[in-house]
Amino acid sequence: MEIRPLSTHTGAEVLGIDLTRPVADADRDAMYRAFVERSVLVVRDQALTPQQLAQAIELFGTILAQHNSRFAIPDCPQIHYVSNQDRYPDGRRYIPGEGWHTDHSNAPRPPKATALHAVQLPDKGGDTQYANMAAAYEVLPVEMQERIAPLMGVHVYQSSHSARKLMGLNDADKERVPNAALHPLVRTHPESGARSIYINPIRIEGVLGLDHKEALPLLDELLAHATSERFQYRHAWKAGDLVMWDNRCLLHKANGDYDMAQTRYLYRVMLQGDVPR
């Protein structure tokens, strides 16, 4: 097994391992270290069924139930699918993952990691972009670091300020999906100790104790800073990629810049996380 960096600050690729076979403890530990240190782990050349993906991802944690069960794989509901073939009720095409976000931040314990496994890809396009929020926090002016240190964001399932609209939940999912959660705007990583900006444009409704006239410009300023190109790793998908990323210190977004006559279909799974602090 070989692990190589993919950019100066984010991303590592793993070569020479088959996750359908037993994985040695030393290899598992090396992959998890790379995940914590590099935030995006890309395991190349995999061909996993949903059941095999569930077994492989449990090397790194406990699987979390995802919010919208309409996307669950029927014979393996822990695994969901991501596809460009779904549409909103009004007929518009649904492109999952559009817009900068971190997954399921409306939960009291958001997922520490999300993994996607490429099953079918378009000929070109459909990259996933990642923004390293720890690197972005590190170079914030001290005045801004001090300003946001005590602040708490109000995260809901669907922010009224978000341009991207999520697919609606069925009644059963509405009963079990958290309505809202309070999380700090500055989050300390429980394993690396790094501090990062923790925002989510799709789910943040506001900042506790701030009027929207102050909160929304602040969130916009933080987002513009954190998603500048110098903090980004852009993943160009290859067939068989299994990509796992750290929701605790990254934003990500999908790109719908490909021929929609071609299918983009991936398996998705999440791992249980901790309470942001």
Side-chain angles (χ1 to χ4, degrees):
M1 188 183 76
E2 182 183 3
I3 301 178
R4 303 190 301 208
L6 287 168
S7 79
T8 56
H9 52 69
T10 304
E13 65 175 350
V14 182
L15 305 169
I17 195 165
D18 180 356
L19 293 177
T20 66
R21 302 173 63 84
V23 174
D25 289 346
D27 287 342
R28 179 266 176 203
D29 292 346
M31 286 190 288
Y32 194 75
R33 281 197 303 273
F35 164 71
V36 171
E37 292 170 3
R38 306 289 299 175
S39 303
V40 178
L41 190 72
V42 180
V43 188
R44 303 287 192 186
D45 303 319
Q46 303 303 302
L48 305 173
T49 66
Q51 292 80 5
Q52 289 170 329
L53 174 58
Q55 186 174 10
I57 209 68
E58 284 183 323
L59 291 168
F60 308 111
T62 302
I63 292 177
L64 174 75
Q66 298 177 60
H67 283 174
N68 199 330
S69 62
R70 69 169 287 169
F71 301 112
I73 303 294
D75 61 347
C76 190
Q78 293 175 304
I79 307 299
H80 285 205
Y81 73 86
V82 169
S83 170
N84 67 330
Q85 299 304 303
D86 288 308
R87 294 183 180 273
Y88 289 103
D90 64 5
R92 290 181 299 120
R93 190 183 297 273
Y94 175 64
I95 304 298
E98 280 191 313
W100 290 108
H101 65 287
T102 183
D103 288 331
H104 289 19
S105 66
N106 56 305
R109 300 169 65 94
K112 74 173 181 179
T114 299
L116 289 179
H117 180 37
V119 178
Q120 189 172 351
L121 298 171
D123 293 338
K124 61 181 180 179
D127 294 355
T128 301
Q129 290 169 255
Y130 298 92
N132 189 313
M133 307 298 278
Y137 174 82
E138 189 175 358
V139 299
L140 276 178
V142 173
E143 296 80 9
M144 179 61 84
Q145 291 181 349
E146 292 175 347
R147 180 184 175 191
I148 65 176
L151 298 179
M152 303 289 285
V154 181
H155 296 247
V156 297
Y157 178 76
Q158 171 73 78
S159 170
S160 63
H161 311 297
S162 173
R164 175 191 164 199
K165 300 307 176 186
L166 300 171
M167 195 70 82
L169 300 172
N170 64 33
D171 290 342
D173 289 340
K174 287 178 182 177
E175 286 293 320
R176 67 177 183 84
V177 170
N179 289 324
L182 282 175
H183 299 310
L185 261 59
V186 179
R187 179 173 184 175
T188 301
H189 197 288
E191 293 172 282
S192 72
R195 304 186 84 192
S196 63
I197 302 167
Y198 190 66
I199 56 177
N200 186 355
I202 291 171
R203 299 198 192 269
I204 283 193
E205 187 63 24
V207 176
L208 191 67
L210 295 188
D211 186 273
H212 281 341
K213 291 180 181 178
E214 182 179 359
L216 297 182
L218 171 62
L219 294 172
D220 287 345
E221 181 180 352
L222 291 172
L223 181 66
H225 166 74
T227 57
S228 64
E229 193 169 341
R230 60 180 166 150
F231 304 126
Q232 288 190 35
Y233 163 66
R234 187 177 183 120
H235 184 69
W237 287 87
K238 297 180 180 180
D241 278 356
L242 171 60
V243 179
M244 182 173 75
W245 65 86
D246 196 329
N247 284 301
R248 301 168 292 189
C249 56
L250 295 177
L251 291 182
H252 65 282
K253 73 169 183 173
N255 286 277
D257 57 350
Y258 50 91
D259 181 358
M260 289 296 162
Q262 297 184 332
T263 298
R264 185 177 186 270
Y265 186 93
L266 306 94
Y267 295 140
R268 184 175 79 165
V269 61
M270 296 181 184
L271 293 178
Q272 291 181 15
D274 58 294
V275 177
R277 303 190 188 283

